[in-house]
Structures are given as C-alpha cells and as structure tokens.
Amino acid sequence: MNSTHTAQLNATPSPSLVMRSDVEIYIQVVFLVIICIGSVLGNVFVVGIVIFDHKLHKPTYYFISSLATADFLVGAIYIPFYIMASLAQKWYLSLTWCKWNATFISVGLNASLVTLSLVSVDRYLAITDPLRYQTILTTMRSAVLLLVGWVHSIFWAFAPQLDWGEIVYQPKTSTCRPNWGAKGLANRVYTLGLALLPFGAPVICMMYCYCRIFFVARYHVREIKKNSVNTPGSDKIGQRAMETKALKTLLIVLGAFIVSWLPYTVLSVAKMISKGSWEFSSSTLNAVLTATLLNGCVNPVIYAIRDQRFCKAMKRVLCPLSWKDSQEFNSYLSSRRDTTKDSTAQNIEMGNINFAQES
C-alpha cells in the first residue's frame, strides 16, 4: 500500500465528529449482526423455496428471487467487514479492498432498488390488466428485464474502478463510499447520474405503481361490494375493512422503503449540493448507513413471508408429508360440500397480499 493510500486511511477529521462512545458502537454492532444474519439466512431461504417449488416458477417470484440475491450480497459481503471496521474504528485491510467492498455494496443496493421497481411494475400490471398480464410479462421478458437491471447496477457500481467517479475512504464510518462531493465535470456527471438513474428512477416508478395499485384495488373492492348481497351495515363495514387492509399493505411496502432509504438519500443529496462542504457527525452517518442496510433484512418478510402463495410453497418444501395429509383432508371436505354454496368469496390481489371479501 503506497503512501497516498496510507494517508487516506489515517486521515481523520475533527475528533468531535468522529469519536463515538463504546456503548453506541456496541449497540450498532448488535443491530448489524442481527441485520447480517437476517439478510443472509432470510434471503437464502427465499431463493431456496423459489428454486425447489415449481409452482413459484413465475415472473413475480423470479423478481423476488433477484431481490433476495441482491440483499444477500450486501449481507454476506459488505456487512461483516462493516462490523469489523465499526468495532476497530478503522479499516484494517488495504484501501484497494475497501474500494472493492464499496463496489460490491453498490451492486447489491443498486440491484435491490431496480428489482423493487420491477416487483412494483409486475404487481401493477397484474392489477390493472389481469387478462393480458401473462402475455405482457412472459418468462422471457422478465428474464430480459432482470438481466438489464443487473447490468445497469453493475455498470454504475464499477464505473469508479474505471476512473469515472470516485470512491473515497470515510473515516467517520471506517468504510469506503462514493464521493458525492467529488470535483471535476466527469465526476459530477457521474454522481448526478448515480442519484437519478440507479436511485431516482426506481423510486419514482415504485411510488407511481403502488399508488395506482391502491386506487385500482379500492375501486375493485367497491365494485365487489356493490354487486354482492349484504345488509347495508355489514356492506360498509366490509368495504372499510378491505380498504384499510389495502392501505396498510401500501404503507408497509412504501414505509419500510422510506424509513430505510430516506435518511441516506437526504444526506447524499445534501453532500452533492454542498460539493462536500457540509459535515455530518460519525453517529449520524453510521445510524443512516445501518438503517439503509436494514432494508435487506426486511424485504424477505414484506415480499415473501407475507405472500400467501409463498407460505404454501414453504409448507410444501419444508413439511411435504404434513402438506400432503392436509391436502387430502381438504379434498375430503370439498367432496362433502353441497353443490350450492352458502357464501360467496371474491379475491383481489394487491402486491403479494390477498384481499378477500366473504359474505
């Protein structure tokens, strides 16, 4: 490691901005360990279930598998080194590996954002145009979209390694990151493109798709209630319950994303606008980075575990014998039912959640 690299690793700004108490460091490390374990095990589990259950070999679950793969990379490659750096309060390895580590997390986070937007588009098409959904989003087209998304993510992450953009060592987090306050026209163009394309475009796409999904689902709920036979009181209660469930799902999906990514976005934009002149404390930067990493641990729960079809697949893969017995029992009950049903059920699927109306 040459003298320039050594100087960068040993560079320390104002001690008041860098120093953190031992208690704060240990609390952060505990959170990081939980996030790391959750990101690795949770996302491996999701990919494994999709691979082994042929009923999930559909575009929706290919997107979810891609999301899990991206989050797994962050949890397996980046977080362990971040934990070591946080405990030591410095980067022990070479600056070269520090920069490559930053490249890997950029690939994972960029791919995660792009895939999240693809999931939202997939659900948007399924809700707004269900009759043509399977012809619009075929397996081949979904594979092409995923390939383009990963190439797009890798390009923006690897560009600084080819001298377009900068990756710098950040003493306050003891890790490397993109230099949002980089000088020079080429570097400024890179940071602007990094903010708009890998981040800005997927976020706008997600916001639009999920808001449209909510309004379409609410319209369908009202149409179903209008055409069903119910007492006036129960009709209003049922409609309100389903609309509340739809809103809850929307808030969970967007809320988790905003909580994880908004702080990092605000700080990055502030750094870019001020051309690096604005300084933030070490505690703030580490808290923001930890919150961003939390998204990879939460995604398997939001997009997979809460999915009814995924849960059924999970039971089929993990408990095949009990699932078979349950299916036979349900089959027996079905054969005993009258041909005339006493109740009607209508389902509206928004995202990965089914909204059922039962009268």
mmCIF file of all heavy atoms in Angstrom, residues 234-257:
data_model
loop_
_atom_site.group_PDB
_atom_site.id
_atom_site.type_symbol
_atom_site.label_atom_id
_atom_site.label_comp_id
_atom_site.label_asym_id
_atom_site.label_seq_id
_atom_site.Cartn_x
_atom_site.Cartn_y
_atom_site.Cartn_z
ATOM 1 N N SER A 234 -73.346 -4.218 7.226
ATOM 2 C CA SER A 234 -72.181 -5.079 7.011
ATOM 3 C C SER A 234 -71.448 -4.705 5.743
ATOM 4 O O SER A 234 -70.247 -4.889 5.632
ATOM 5 C CB SER A 234 -72.620 -6.542 6.941
ATOM 6 O OG SER A 234 -73.426 -6.759 5.806
ATOM 7 N N ASP A 235 -72.179 -4.178 4.748
ATOM 8 C CA ASP A 235 -71.549 -3.755 3.495
ATOM 9 C C ASP A 235 -70.531 -2.659 3.748
ATOM 10 O O ASP A 235 -69.404 -2.705 3.253
ATOM 11 C CB ASP A 235 -72.635 -3.271 2.534
ATOM 12 C CG ASP A 235 -72.056 -2.859 1.197
ATOM 13 O OD1 ASP A 235 -71.751 -3.765 0.399
ATOM 14 O OD2 ASP A 235 -71.896 -1.647 0.968
ATOM 15 N N LYS A 236 -70.910 -1.663 4.549
ATOM 16 C CA LYS A 236 -69.997 -0.550 4.823
ATOM 17 C C LYS A 236 -68.813 -1.014 5.659
ATOM 18 O O LYS A 236 -67.671 -0.618 5.423
ATOM 19 C CB LYS A 236 -70.756 0.568 5.557
ATOM 20 C CG LYS A 236 -71.759 1.281 4.673
ATOM 21 C CD LYS A 236 -72.444 2.409 5.430
ATOM 22 C CE LYS A 236 -73.465 3.138 4.540
ATOM 23 N NZ LYS A 236 -74.166 4.206 5.270
ATOM 24 N N ILE A 237 -69.083 -1.881 6.626
ATOM 25 C CA ILE A 237 -68.009 -2.367 7.487
ATOM 26 C C ILE A 237 -67.007 -3.197 6.678
ATOM 27 O O ILE A 237 -65.794 -3.045 6.798
ATOM 28 C CB ILE A 237 -68.587 -3.212 8.645
ATOM 29 C CG1 ILE A 237 -69.409 -2.314 9.579
ATOM 30 C CG2 ILE A 237 -67.469 -3.902 9.418
ATOM 31 C CD1 ILE A 237 -70.161 -3.082 10.642
ATOM 32 N N GLY A 238 -67.526 -4.087 5.804
ATOM 33 C CA GLY A 238 -66.651 -4.924 4.986
ATOM 34 C C GLY A 238 -65.812 -4.099 4.037
ATOM 35 O O GLY A 238 -64.625 -4.361 3.858
ATOM 36 N N GLN A 239 -66.431 -3.095 3.415
ATOM 37 C CA GLN A 239 -65.688 -2.252 2.476
ATOM 38 C C GLN A 239 -64.592 -1.495 3.203
ATOM 39 O O GLN A 239 -63.451 -1.417 2.737
ATOM 40 C CB GLN A 239 -66.639 -1.274 1.789
ATOM 41 C CG GLN A 239 -65.924 -0.329 0.820
ATOM 42 C CD GLN A 239 -66.912 0.548 0.064
ATOM 43 O OE1 GLN A 239 -68.054 0.171 -0.137
ATOM 44 N NE2 GLN A 239 -66.459 1.722 -0.312
ATOM 45 N N ARG A 240 -64.937 -0.936 4.365
ATOM 46 C CA ARG A 240 -63.934 -0.190 5.113
ATOM 47 C C ARG A 240 -62.782 -1.105 5.559
ATOM 48 O O ARG A 240 -61.615 -0.706 5.522
ATOM 49 C CB ARG A 240 -64.602 0.454 6.339
ATOM 50 C CG ARG A 240 -63.649 1.245 7.237
ATOM 51 C CD ARG A 240 -62.989 2.372 6.457
ATOM 52 N NE ARG A 240 -63.965 3.301 5.943
ATOM 53 C CZ ARG A 240 -64.442 4.349 6.634
ATOM 54 N NH1 ARG A 240 -64.027 4.566 7.867
ATOM 55 N NH2 ARG A 240 -65.309 5.169 6.091
ATOM 56 N N ALA A 241 -63.114 -2.338 5.958
ATOM 57 C CA ALA A 241 -62.082 -3.271 6.409
ATOM 58 C C ALA A 241 -61.113 -3.595 5.284
ATOM 59 O O ALA A 241 -59.891 -3.621 5.474
ATOM 60 C CB ALA A 241 -62.728 -4.549 6.936
ATOM 61 N N MET A 242 -61.641 -3.851 4.077
ATOM 62 C CA MET A 242 -60.768 -4.206 2.957
ATOM 63 C C MET A 242 -59.945 -3.016 2.492
ATOM 64 O O MET A 242 -58.779 -3.152 2.126
ATOM 65 C CB MET A 242 -61.604 -4.783 1.812
ATOM 66 C CG MET A 242 -62.023 -6.225 2.054
ATOM 67 S SD MET A 242 -62.830 -6.965 0.626
ATOM 68 C CE MET A 242 -64.403 -6.129 0.674
ATOM 69 N N GLU A 243 -60.542 -1.818 2.488
ATOM 70 C CA GLU A 243 -59.783 -0.630 2.102
ATOM 71 C C GLU A 243 -58.679 -0.347 3.124
ATOM 72 O O GLU A 243 -57.578 0.063 2.772
ATOM 73 C CB GLU A 243 -60.715 0.564 1.968
ATOM 74 C CG GLU A 243 -61.632 0.494 0.755
ATOM 75 C CD GLU A 243 -62.450 1.752 0.569
ATOM 76 O OE1 GLU A 243 -62.294 2.685 1.387
ATOM 77 O OE2 GLU A 243 -63.232 1.817 -0.392
ATOM 78 N N THR A 244 -58.982 -0.590 4.401
ATOM 79 C CA THR A 244 -57.975 -0.397 5.442
ATOM 80 C C THR A 244 -56.825 -1.381 5.262
ATOM 81 O O THR A 244 -55.648 -1.039 5.412
ATOM 82 C CB THR A 244 -58.605 -0.597 6.831
ATOM 83 O OG1 THR A 244 -59.663 0.342 6.997
ATOM 84 C CG2 THR A 244 -57.569 -0.384 7.927
ATOM 85 N N LYS A 245 -57.154 -2.625 4.891
ATOM 86 C CA LYS A 245 -56.113 -3.631 4.670
ATOM 87 C C LYS A 245 -55.248 -3.266 3.468
ATOM 88 O O LYS A 245 -54.022 -3.427 3.491
ATOM 89 C CB LYS A 245 -56.766 -4.998 4.454
ATOM 90 C CG LYS A 245 -55.777 -6.152 4.471
ATOM 91 C CD LYS A 245 -56.491 -7.483 4.426
ATOM 92 C CE LYS A 245 -55.489 -8.630 4.494
ATOM 93 N NZ LYS A 245 -56.157 -9.946 4.436
ATOM 94 N N ALA A 246 -55.892 -2.755 2.417
ATOM 95 C CA ALA A 246 -55.132 -2.326 1.241
ATOM 96 C C ALA A 246 -54.187 -1.184 1.583
ATOM 97 O O ALA A 246 -53.027 -1.152 1.172
ATOM 98 C CB ALA A 246 -56.090 -1.910 0.126
ATOM 99 N N LEU A 247 -54.700 -0.205 2.356
ATOM 100 C CA LEU A 247 -53.875 0.922 2.749
ATOM 101 C C LEU A 247 -52.731 0.468 3.655
ATOM 102 O O LEU A 247 -51.597 0.952 3.540
ATOM 103 C CB LEU A 247 -54.729 1.970 3.472
ATOM 104 C CG LEU A 247 -53.999 3.237 3.931
ATOM 105 C CD1 LEU A 247 -53.368 3.953 2.747
ATOM 106 C CD2 LEU A 247 -54.947 4.170 4.671
ATOM 107 N N LYS A 248 -53.027 -0.475 4.549
ATOM 108 C CA LYS A 248 -51.995 -0.995 5.449
ATOM 109 C C LYS A 248 -50.862 -1.643 4.667
ATOM 110 O O LYS A 248 -49.680 -1.435 4.960
ATOM 111 C CB LYS A 248 -52.628 -2.001 6.415
ATOM 112 C CG LYS A 248 -51.640 -2.603 7.406
ATOM 113 C CD LYS A 248 -52.337 -3.609 8.302
ATOM 114 C CE LYS A 248 -51.345 -4.286 9.248
ATOM 115 N NZ LYS A 248 -52.010 -5.297 10.110
ATOM 116 N N THR A 249 -51.230 -2.427 3.655
ATOM 117 C CA THR A 249 -50.208 -3.077 2.831
ATOM 118 C C THR A 249 -49.358 -2.047 2.105
ATOM 119 O O THR A 249 -48.126 -2.154 2.039
ATOM 120 C CB THR A 249 -50.875 -4.021 1.809
ATOM 121 O OG1 THR A 249 -51.599 -5.025 2.508
ATOM 122 C CG2 THR A 249 -49.833 -4.680 0.915
ATOM 123 N N LEU A 250 -50.007 -1.038 1.545
ATOM 124 C CA LEU A 250 -49.286 0.022 0.836
ATOM 125 C C LEU A 250 -48.316 0.724 1.788
ATOM 126 O O LEU A 250 -47.165 0.998 1.437
ATOM 127 C CB LEU A 250 -50.280 1.021 0.251
ATOM 128 C CG LEU A 250 -49.674 2.214 -0.487
ATOM 129 C CD1 LEU A 250 -48.996 1.748 -1.766
ATOM 130 C CD2 LEU A 250 -50.745 3.242 -0.812
ATOM 131 N N LEU A 251 -48.784 1.022 3.003
ATOM 132 C CA LEU A 251 -47.944 1.718 3.970
ATOM 133 C C LEU A 251 -46.763 0.857 4.408
ATOM 134 O O LEU A 251 -45.656 1.365 4.622
ATOM 135 C CB LEU A 251 -48.781 2.127 5.193
ATOM 136 C CG LEU A 251 -49.831 3.217 4.944
ATOM 137 C CD1 LEU A 251 -50.639 3.472 6.204
ATOM 138 C CD2 LEU A 251 -49.173 4.510 4.465
ATOM 139 N N ILE A 252 -46.973 -0.453 4.525
ATOM 140 C CA ILE A 252 -45.877 -1.346 4.903
ATOM 141 C C ILE A 252 -44.810 -1.372 3.819
ATOM 142 O O ILE A 252 -43.613 -1.232 4.090
ATOM 143 C CB ILE A 252 -46.406 -2.776 5.169
ATOM 144 C CG1 ILE A 252 -47.222 -2.808 6.463
ATOM 145 C CG2 ILE A 252 -45.246 -3.770 5.269
ATOM 146 C CD1 ILE A 252 -47.909 -4.137 6.713
ATOM 147 N N VAL A 253 -45.249 -1.532 2.563
ATOM 148 C CA VAL A 253 -44.303 -1.629 1.445
ATOM 149 C C VAL A 253 -43.504 -0.340 1.286
ATOM 150 O O VAL A 253 -42.269 -0.350 1.248
ATOM 151 C CB VAL A 253 -45.049 -1.969 0.139
ATOM 152 C CG1 VAL A 253 -44.125 -1.840 -1.054
ATOM 153 C CG2 VAL A 253 -45.629 -3.377 0.205
ATOM 154 N N LEU A 254 -44.214 0.783 1.189
ATOM 155 C CA LEU A 254 -43.533 2.060 0.986
ATOM 156 C C LEU A 254 -42.876 2.564 2.269
ATOM 157 O O LEU A 254 -41.817 3.184 2.231
ATOM 158 C CB LEU A 254 -44.522 3.107 0.455
ATOM 159 C CG LEU A 254 -45.054 2.854 -0.957
ATOM 160 C CD1 LEU A 254 -45.979 3.985 -1.381
ATOM 161 C CD2 LEU A 254 -43.922 2.716 -1.953
ATOM 162 N N GLY A 255 -43.520 2.303 3.415
ATOM 163 C CA GLY A 255 -42.975 2.774 4.684
ATOM 164 C C GLY A 255 -41.623 2.165 4.992
ATOM 165 O O GLY A 255 -40.688 2.860 5.404
ATOM 166 N N ALA A 256 -41.502 0.852 4.787
ATOM 167 C CA ALA A 256 -40.221 0.180 5.043
ATOM 168 C C ALA A 256 -39.134 0.732 4.128
ATOM 169 O O ALA A 256 -37.990 0.938 4.555
ATOM 170 C CB ALA A 256 -40.371 -1.326 4.840
ATOM 171 N N PHE A 257 -39.496 0.977 2.883
ATOM 172 C CA PHE A 257 -38.528 1.510 1.933
ATOM 173 C C PHE A 257 -38.095 2.924 2.327
ATOM 174 O O PHE A 257 -36.898 3.255 2.327
ATOM 175 C CB PHE A 257 -39.131 1.517 0.534
ATOM 176 C CG PHE A 257 -38.213 2.080 -0.518
ATOM 177 C CD1 PHE A 257 -37.215 1.301 -1.075
ATOM 178 C CD2 PHE A 257 -38.342 3.400 -0.928
ATOM 179 C CE1 PHE A 257 -36.365 1.830 -2.024
ATOM 180 C CE2 PHE A 257 -37.500 3.931 -1.881
ATOM 181 C CZ PHE A 257 -36.503 3.142 -2.432
#
